């Protein structure tokens, strides 16, 4: 098994950003994102200011910038979509580097790119400076419905177990000569995913039994 | 004799898909006994265990714990009296910290504050895991998780501790440490296991379940040395292990 210490998104530290109460950080992130999303996309310099704010917070938290940047890869599919927009959108066109593209599309791509990136950076900063347990307690203090907090708590708890299971299935597949590069093998991936789902579902049932056995009646004890 | 802690009479059960798992099981366990429940895969051991705390409801027959019948009306009390430790500690440990996990059961019983803390620390002391109280369970080794799983049940101060395959997947040192812990507990014990040397080491009495009925019930040494019985029920001693060289346990 050998689960590592801490979560993969969390960077251990003792900066003021780390120490700030989790519920405040969540609210700040939410407010920041609302402002970013509500800002008209033509106000170009304002986005520079936003970026400065995020960079300042990251600097204050003393989390290495590379640590955050590496984790930004989650954004790649969105970037791909953003790059596609200028070519597929309609309306008046313009020329960029000799290629004819849609003006609307270009603007939409810019908005997606900049707002998405700011969102990812800010969320990663929150994740890097807040332990998952703290995050859950913060959400609880913000009076998020208890059921939702419970579901998230279980997700945090079983993330390692399920990824471990997935990893073992991958090792077992690869040990029998499987190669994900070969498109003919791809149906196997789908079936593995199905098996993983069933296993996780059955584990859910077993966990529930274990909870009932200790007197669980549908509400988490306080 | 006094009221048995565990009193199973004529218990029969068929799963909703029609598969009959238990055919009239009789089992009595008295205060302070340590009993091994043996049997091949598919004999109905786990099904029997799930009846003991009312997860499954008897199709026919009855189960009572210290005189209290296992029925819907007092499931909560039954689940306090019967502590089940499941095979996979990852199923049993689902909270963010060891403290929250061990406290889960007693908190469900309405215990809180200093008394909850006392129970948690006492249970962890019993299994030698008190130093890990604020760690997330998934960062512990497998052996440590198994011990915390035992503590989660001990914290409910059960009258009978039911363990499903306690020695499975443990390395020999963890296996022995767990044996020492189980021996040191002052509690009635029912242990489902395929690990026959473990049964001989820990449990003076053994019950053999085969195809949904009890086929033998007696001193563990006598059961393990009854070659015909062992063969008939797909029970095999590990290579090189002979109970006769160890002798009956006191």
């Amino acid at each position: 098994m050998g689960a590592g210490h801490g979560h993969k998104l969390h960077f251990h530290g003792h900066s003021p950003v780390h120490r700030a109460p989790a519920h405040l950080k969540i609210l700040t992130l939410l407010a920041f994102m609302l402002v970013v999303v509500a800002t008209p996309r033509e106000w170009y310099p304002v986005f520079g200011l936003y970026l400065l704010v995020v960079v300042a917070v990251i600097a204050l938290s003393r989390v290495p910038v590379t640590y955050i940047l590496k984790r930004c890869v989650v954004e790649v599919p969105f970037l791909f979509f953003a790059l596609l927009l200028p070519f597929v959108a309609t309306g008046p066109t313009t020329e960029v580097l000799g290629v004819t593209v849609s003006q609307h599309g270009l603007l939409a791509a810019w908005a997606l790119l900049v707002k998405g990136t700011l969102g990812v950076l800010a969320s990663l900063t929150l994740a890097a400076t807040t332990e998952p347990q703290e995050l859950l307690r913060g959400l609880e203090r913000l009076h998020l419905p208890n059921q939702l907090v419970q579901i998230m708590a279980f997700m945090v708890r079983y993330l390692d177990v399920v990824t471990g299971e997935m990893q073992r299935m991958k090792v077992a597949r690869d040990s029998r000569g499987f190669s994900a590069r070969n498109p003919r093998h791809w149906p196997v991936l789908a079936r593995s995913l199905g098996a993983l789902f069933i296993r996780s579902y059955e584990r859910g049932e077993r966990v529930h039994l274990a909870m009932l056995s200790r007197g669980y009646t549908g509400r988490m004890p306080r | 004799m006094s009221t048995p802690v565990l009193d199973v009479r004529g218990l029969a059960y068929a799963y909703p898909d029609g598969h009959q798992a238990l055919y009239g099981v009789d089992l009595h366990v008295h205060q302070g006994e340590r009993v091994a429940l043996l049997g091949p895969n598919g004999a109905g051991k786990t099904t029997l265990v799930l009846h003991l705390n009312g997860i499954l409801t008897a199709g026919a027959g009855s189960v009572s714990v210290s005189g209290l019948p296992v029925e819907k009306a007092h499931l909560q009390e039954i689940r306090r009296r019967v502590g089940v430790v499941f095979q996979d500690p990852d199923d049993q440990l689902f909270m963010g910290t060891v403290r929250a996990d061990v406290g889960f059961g007693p908190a469900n019983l309405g215990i809180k504050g200093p008394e909850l803390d006392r129970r948690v620390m006492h249970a962890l002391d019993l299994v030698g895991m008190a130093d890990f109280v604020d760690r997330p369970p998934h960062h512990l080794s497998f052996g440590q998780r198994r011990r915390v799983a035992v503590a989660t049940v001990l914290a409910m101060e059960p009258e009978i501790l039911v363990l499903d395959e306690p020695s499975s997947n443990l390395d020999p040192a963890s296996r022995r440490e767990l044996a020492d812990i189980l021996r040191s507990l002052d509690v009635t014990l029912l242990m489902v296991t395929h690990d026959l040397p473990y049964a001989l080491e820990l449990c003076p009495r053994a019950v053999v379940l085969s195809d949904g009925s009890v086929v033998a019930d007696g001193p563990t040494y006598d059961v393990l040395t009854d070659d015909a019985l062992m063969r008939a029920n797909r029970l095999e001693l590990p290579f090189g292990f002979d109970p006769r060289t160890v002798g009956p346990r006191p």
Side-chain angles (χ1 to χ4, degrees):
Chain A
M1 300 290 288
H5 282 260
H7 260 269
K8 288 169 191 70
L9 290 176
H10 184 255
F11 185 85
H12 186 76
H14 300 281
S15 74
V17 186
H18 280 88
R19 283 198 307 269
H23 57 284
L24 279 186
K25 287 194 266 189
I26 297 167
L27 280 184
T28 312
L29 175 69
L30 194 68
F32 177 76
M33 281 324 298
L34 284 177
V35 171
V36 168
V37 171
T39 307
R41 51 196 186 187
E42 292 87 357
W43 294 9
Y44 306 112
V46 180
F47 289 103
L49 192 71
Y50 293 155
L51 183 66
L52 220 59
V53 171
V54 176
V55 171
V57 173
I58 296 177
L60 190 65
S61 71
R62 279 184 240 124
V63 176
V65 176
T66 48
Y67 184 88
I68 299 219
L69 285 183
K70 261 190 253 162
R71 282 154 182 78
C72 277
V73 289
V74 290
E75 210 195 341
V76 168
F78 294 95
L79 292 186
F80 181 72
F81 186 63
L83 286 180
L84 217 60
L85 271 179
F87 299 100
V88 296
T90 52
T93 56
T94 183
E95 286 224 343
V96 178
L97 303 171
V99 184
T100 313
V101 294
S102 152
Q103 274 177 14
H104 287 311
L106 205 59
L107 212 54
W110 151 258
L112 193 65
L113 186 79
V114 74
K115 292 181 178 180
T117 309
L118 281 170
V120 169
L121 282 177
S123 312
L124 283 174
T125 311
L126 174 73
T129 57
T130 320
E131 291 266 15
Q133 291 305 322
E134 267 309 305
L135 218 49
L136 292 171
R137 268 194 285 273
L139 289 171
E140 219 165 29
R141 278 198 292 271
L142 292 173
H143 296 288
L144 193 73
N146 191 258
Q147 254 84 359
L148 286 181
V149 178
Q150 274 188 43
I151 291 172
M152 284 190 240
F154 278 97
M155 192 190 77
V156 169
R157 164 64 182 89
Y158 284 101
L159 205 58
D160 279 349
V161 175
V162 174
T163 46
E165 210 148 330
M166 198 166 75
Q167 205 56 40
R168 286 196 300 278
M169 284 164 81
K170 179 181 152 34
V171 169
R173 267 198 321 258
D174 293 353
S175 310
R176 285 189 282 159
F178 174 84
S179 149
R181 293 226 184 103
N182 186 343
R184 284 218 319 261
H185 287 170
W186 286 355
V188 175
L189 288 178
R191 254 173 257 136
S192 307
L193 212 61
L196 189 68
F197 175 78
I198 301 284
R199 282 196 203 183
S200 306
Y201 181 82
E202 286 175 349
R203 183 182 293 280
E205 287 191 323
R206 291 200 304 275
V207 171
H208 186 232
L209 283 190
M211 291 173 77
L212 289 179
S213 300
R214 286 195 274 151
Y216 179 72
T217 50
R219 278 215 6 247
M220 277 316 210
R222 306 253 88 203
Chain B
M1 240 185 182
S2 59
T3 321
V5 177
L6 197 62
D7 189 1
V8 181
R9 287 166 200 259
L11 178 66
Y13 181 78
Y15 277 98
D17 66 1
H19 168 72
Q20 178 107 19
L22 298 176
Y23 297 86
V25 170
D26 287 293
L27 176 65
H28 311 281
V29 178
H30 286 271
Q31 172 97 45
E33 272 194 298
R34 286 203 299 264
V35 181
L37 184 61
L38 313 176
N41 286 334
K45 302 186 296 292
T46 304
T47 310
L48 176 57
V49 167
L50 293 179
H51 277 90
L52 303 183
N53 68 350
I55 297 274
L56 295 179
T57 321
S62 70
V63 180
S64 14
V65 180
S66 300
L68 189 69
V70 176
E71 283 165 4
K72 258 218 168 74
H74 26 244
L75 270 190
Q76 201 73 351
E77 173 60 14
I78 290 292
R79 286 172 185 169
R80 186 198 67 74
R81 293 187 185 188
V82 182
V84 182
V85 181
F86 290 93
Q87 194 173 347
D88 186 347
D90 276 327
D91 294 342
Q92 185 115 19
L93 306 175
F94 42 79
M95 302 285 274
T97 62
V98 168
R99 181 193 301 279
D101 235 316
V102 178
F104 178 80
N108 277 326
L109 303 176
I111 293 163
K112 46 187 130 187
E115 168 65 6
L116 184 63
D117 275 344
R118 188 197 65 76
R119 287 242 196 157
V120 169
M121 290 321 293
H122 180 63
L124 285 172
D125 268 332
L126 288 175
V127 298
M129 288 295 292
D131 292 342
F132 296 84
V133 62
D134 288 314
R135 293 274 292 276
H138 48 285
H139 290 170
L140 304 177
S141 76
F142 193 86
Q144 291 171 329
R145 270 181 282 163
R146 172 79 36 88
R147 275 148 67 185
V148 173
V150 173
T152 63
V153 168
L154 289 178
M156 300 178 76
E157 302 186 345
E159 291 176 21
I160 179 164
L161 189 60
V162 180
L163 300 154
D164 194 357
E165 295 284 353
S167 63
S168 66
N169 289 326
L170 292 184
D171 60 39
S174 310
R175 181 177 171 277
R176 181 195 42 75
E177 283 163 8
L178 186 68
D180 292 343
I181 289 165
L182 292 178
R183 231 194 320 266
S184 72
L185 298 175
D186 179 26
V187 62
T188 312
L189 199 83
L190 181 70
M191 187 169 108
V192 175
T193 189
H194 291 295
D195 187 342
L196 300 179
Y198 215 52
L200 182 64
E201 184 185 349
L202 285 171
C203 303
R205 178 179 157 205
V207 173
V208 179
L209 197 66
S210 185
D211 285 332
S213 13
V214 172
V215 292
D217 185 347
T220 308
Y221 179 82
D222 296 352
V223 170
L224 296 191
T225 48
D226 184 340
D227 294 334
L229 173 81
M230 295 280 284
R231 245 194 318 279
N233 295 294
R234 287 181 64 82
L235 291 175
E236 279 181 21
L237 293 164
F239 176 77
F241 178 79
D242 185 358
R244 292 174 191 87
T245 59
V246 184
R249 307 258 90 192

